[in-house]
Each structure stands twice: as structure tokens, then as C-alpha cells.
Amino acid sequence: MTKHEHPSLKYMRREVLPTAFCPGCYNGIVMNALFQAFEELGIYDLRKYVFVSGIGCSSWIPSPYIKADSLHTLHGRAIPVATGVKLANPELEVIVIGGDGDLASIGGNHLLHAARRNMDLVVIMINNLVYGMTRGQAAPTTPKGMVTPTTPYGNPEEPMDVARLIANTNANYVARWCVSQYLLLKNSFKKVLGEIKRGFRFIEVYAPCTTFVIRRENKTPGQKLKELMNTCIGLEKWEKLPAEERTKYIPTGVFREEDKPGFIDNYKQLITGLKR
Ligand SMILES: Cc1ncc(C[n+]2csc(CCOP(=O)(O)OP(=O)(O)O)c2C)c(N)n1
Ligand SMILES: [Mg+2]
């Protein structure tokens, strides 16, 4: 790869393009933000990085599209596999990219416990509000009232606020951004790749599914992006809103930020102590 190529071409496997994503899918924006973060950090060689994903549209981002070592694992099991990679070779930077279904539904237990352990992983969860790959069924993140093939009269359940949940664990870094907040998202990626380099770092990207959410609302991906620019607001602003207003907005920002030792450092310290 040469320095002057567009970031997407530097870090993508060209031989598998075009991607399998639907036209207008926001997964491309997330990929671009990640690639730009690498580029701005001067990281051109991804040989120290391993990407791990489960099953879903978003799980396709690392494998096959990122030009780096990747493991495309079972649905929901990206985090345990990533944990194994990190423990086997702590020198590697391990990044999990997956969907809300993969990470918060079938893999929810793994997510919670990796966060509790402050396991040294970067986890990027693309919350498109549904199980996109299997045609838009309701997920734990689906808003109340949303019509999906499994909730034809509207979802009767309250959604899970995944970033807020993980912020209540021992994780080092937790943030949520809307896909419309490109620069904030890119800078957040830079933060967890270049600044806070240990512990559990979780970034939720709110990026409604183009085909099974946005099209149902009779909108184009562009129109939805413009809408998100108004509905995604900073955490502090959101907290000042009256309770009945809050449901109309998506609170975004950094929920938690620390740089304490992660699992690997604590484990090494334990072993060193035992050897004495
Ligand atoms: C054990 C198992 N159960 C169910 C499935 C079917 N399945 C494939 S992808 C998927 C959901 C994907 O949703 P999400 O993780 O949100 O990713 P998205 O496609 O929305 O990006 C499901 C239920 C599967 N592959 N394996
Ligand atoms: Mg999804």
C-alpha cells in the first residue's frame, strides 16, 4: 500500500470489492472512519492487529474486507475468541467488530463479562437496531413500537441501552456515536487505538439498517443521516431534557474513560507475584 491512496483502498481487500452491503448501508461510513483513524495515527501496517467478528452484516467488515488477519467466528462468539487471541499473544491488538444482535443478544453474556474483566480488547458494535443479515427481525436494541417481521404490530419491549449498560461495568472506555457524527466517531477510534491502549474499550455506533429500518420509514439513507444530525445529541444536553422528551433523542458521547490496567496487566502482575 502507498501513502497516497484513499484510506479505504489502503486498508481494504480490493479483490473482494464491491462489498455485499446494501446500497447506502452505513457500515461503509464506519469502515471509513476506522481507516481514517488508522491513517491519521500513521498506522499503515496492520500486522500487529487481529480483527475478530461473529455473524451478521457488520461482522463482514473485518472479514473479508479489512486487509489484515481476521477470524470470522460463530454467531455471538467473537468476544471469547478475541479473548483467546489476546491471551495467547498479548502483543497483538485485538479488535472485535460486530452487530447489536451478535454482541448484545446471543453474545450478551460474553460482552458483559469481558467488560467486567476489563479485557484488553477494542469492541466496535454497530447498532443497526435489527438482525439485518437475517432480514430485519427485532433485536434487544429495537426501539419500542418498531414494526419488524417478528413484531408486526410494533415491538412491545423496551430496548437495551448497550453503551449505558457497559458503562456500569469495569470497562476502561465506553462511548456511543451516531453514524452522522463522523468526526467524533473517527476521533473516538483514534482514542482507543492510539491513546487508551489497554483494557476494555467499547464503542457503539448508532447506524439504523438501510434496508430494514430506513426503507420501512420511507426514507433514503441520506434523509435519515440528516435526521440523525438533529436527533443525536450530546449526553449532557440529553440529561437536561424532561423525561417525556428524552425518548425522541439518542444520547451520544463518552460514558466512561479511564486508563487503568486491563486484565493482561493484572494477570501478569499476579504471575510475577506467584513466581517470587
Ligand atoms: C447460532 C446462530 N443462531 C442464529 C443465526 C442466524 N443469524 C445470522 S446473523 C443473525 C443476526 C445478525 O444481527 P446483528 O448481529 O445485529 O448483525 P447485522 O446483520 O444486523 O449487522 C442471526 C440471528 C446464526 N447464524 N447462528
Ligand atoms: Mg444488527
Side-chain angles (χ1 to χ4, degrees), residues 99-101 126 128-132:
D100 45 333
I126 302 186
N128 62 1
L129 309 177
V130 290
Y131 297 156

Side-chain angles (χ1 to χ4, degrees), residues 29-76:
I29 298 181
V30 183
M31 282 171 90
N32 230 33
L34 182 66
F35 295 156
Q36 197 177 341
F38 276 122
E39 188 177 46
E40 288 183 14
L41 289 169
I43 302 167
Y44 297 104
D45 182 353
L46 295 185
R47 272 178 290 190
K48 246 183 68 192
Y49 292 80
V50 174
F51 292 83
V52 185
S53 62
I55 303 297
C57 297
S58 37
S59 291
W60 274 57
I61 290 179
S63 156
Y65 301 124
I66 302 185
K67 212 187 290 180
D69 286 336
S70 58
L71 280 152
H72 207 145
T73 69
L74 299 177
H75 192 30

Side-chain angles (χ1 to χ4, degrees), residues 189-227:
F189 287 151
K190 282 175 82 176
K191 173 76 95 179
V192 298
L193 295 170
E195 220 176 293
I196 303 176
K197 300 184 78 169
R198 55 187 183 173
F200 197 77
R201 289 145 287 165
F202 180 79
I203 300 177
E204 173 181 345
V205 190
Y206 184 91
C209 175
T210 307
T211 301
F212 297 108
V213 178
I214 301 175
R215 200 188 285 169
R216 259 181 202 281
E217 294 176 3
N218 284 323
K219 290 172 190 154
T220 65
Q223 286 167 336
K224 188 70 181 178
L225 263 188
K226 280 190 190 148
E227 181 192 297

Side-chain angles (χ1 to χ4, degrees), residues 69-226:
D69 286 336
S70 58
L71 280 152
H72 207 145
T73 69
L74 299 177
H75 192 30
R77 310 302 170 219
I79 285 182
V81 174
T83 300
V85 173
K86 187 69 189 177
L87 291 179
N89 186 355
E91 299 303 310
L92 295 170
E93 300 291 345
V94 186
I95 303 178
V96 172
I97 305 180
D100 45 333
D102 194 71
L103 290 166
S105 184
I106 187 169
N109 196 23
H110 302 304
L111 176 67
L112 274 184
H113 291 288
R116 174 183 62 79
R117 292 185 180 116
N118 203 19
M119 185 54 67
D120 302 71
L121 301 172
V122 169
V123 177
I124 301 166
M125 187 190 87
I126 302 186
N127 179 3
N128 62 1
L129 309 177
V130 290
Y131 297 156
M133 179 169 264
T134 45
R135 303 193 67 77
Q137 297 86 350
T141 45
T142 303
K144 194 172 182 190
M146 185 185 274
V147 172
T148 76
T150 46
T151 55
Y153 305 109
N155 181 21
E157 300 174 12
E158 288 291 342
M160 188 175 182
D161 185 334
V162 187
R164 206 175 282 279
L165 186 69
I166 301 307
N168 282 302
T169 67
N170 193 36
N172 263 4
Y173 183 87
V174 180
R176 172 168 51 225
W177 308 106
C178 279
V179 75
S180 53
Q181 297 168 310
Y182 180 84
L183 291 179
L184 294 167
L185 177 64
K186 184 258 297 171
N187 288 339
S188 197
F189 287 151
K190 282 175 82 176
K191 173 76 95 179
V192 298
L193 295 170
E195 220 176 293
I196 303 176
K197 300 184 78 169
R198 55 187 183 173
F200 197 77
R201 289 145 287 165
F202 180 79
I203 300 177
E204 173 181 345
V205 190
Y206 184 91
C209 175
T210 307
T211 301
F212 297 108
V213 178
I214 301 175
R215 200 188 285 169
R216 259 181 202 281
E217 294 176 3
N218 284 323
K219 290 172 190 154
T220 65
Q223 286 167 336
K224 188 70 181 178
L225 263 188
K226 280 190 190 148

